[in-house]
Amino acid sequence: MIFVILGTQDKGFDRMLKEIDELIKDGIITNRVIVQAGSTNFKSNEMDIIDYLPMQKFHEYIEEADIIITHGGVGSILDAIKHNKKVIAIPRLEKYHEHVNNHQIEIVEEFDRLGYIMDCGNLKRLGNKLMQIEKFTPTPFVSNNEKFIQKLEKYIGD
């Protein structure tokens, strides 16, 4: 199963769902596709599209998914990599009115550079990325929360 996460942004991300819909119709995607669409109003006979999910159900879909395709939101990416999932991330872009700026490009590029995910900044390459993801071994996620807390405690304690 492929779980598509569009987050809770108040702007749509039709561009991503149109591409996934075409990849399904072309037979490139054969898996079941479940979409957490948020504010994106997109209709498809090819995907199960749900606007918003309770967190428990959201995490169940992450657990069940073989592949996660997500926008470039930090929360969505972290949720996926914490579950050791293969992730393809597509940044929302300002020029398409998907976000107020292009900060998701930097987020996606950095997670890709660290080996956690596959960057798909060019949406037309999604089909190729899906073919490559089978061989992709993501870097295991290691939280630095404990290290951060120790530094914070030291700072407060001084």
Side-chain angles (χ1 to χ4, degrees), residues 109-125:
E109 287 175 350
E110 184 64 10
F111 276 102
D112 179 86
R113 185 187 70 75
L114 294 169
Y116 291 121
I117 68 168
M118 291 181 75
D119 176 358
C120 188
N122 181 343
L123 193 52
K124 292 298 176 187
R125 294 189 179 157

Side-chain angles (χ1 to χ4, degrees), residues 11-54:
K11 294 173 177 32
F13 200 5
D14 293 21
R15 188 170 60 95
M16 183 200 286
L17 295 185
K18 285 177 187 172
E19 185 65 23
I20 293 170
D21 204 52
E22 287 303 314
L23 292 171
I24 295 169
K25 289 175 183 173
D26 292 343
I28 294 168
I29 295 176
T30 57
N31 308 58
R32 177 179 180 208
V33 177
I34 298 173
V35 179
Q36 177 274 308
S39 296
T40 301
N41 186 14
F42 186 86
K43 303 295 179 214
S44 171
N45 294 323
E46 310 298 330
M47 300 177 269
D48 298 327
I49 300 175
I50 306 153
D51 294 340
Y52 296 95
L53 292 164

Side-chain angles (χ1 to χ4, degrees), residues 5-8 36 58 62 68 70-81 87:
I5 304 170
L6 300 185
T8 57
Q36 177 274 308
F58 178 82
I62 288 176
I68 294 179
T70 184
H71 70 124
V74 173
S76 298
I77 292 171
L78 284 174
D79 278 336
I81 65 176
V87 178

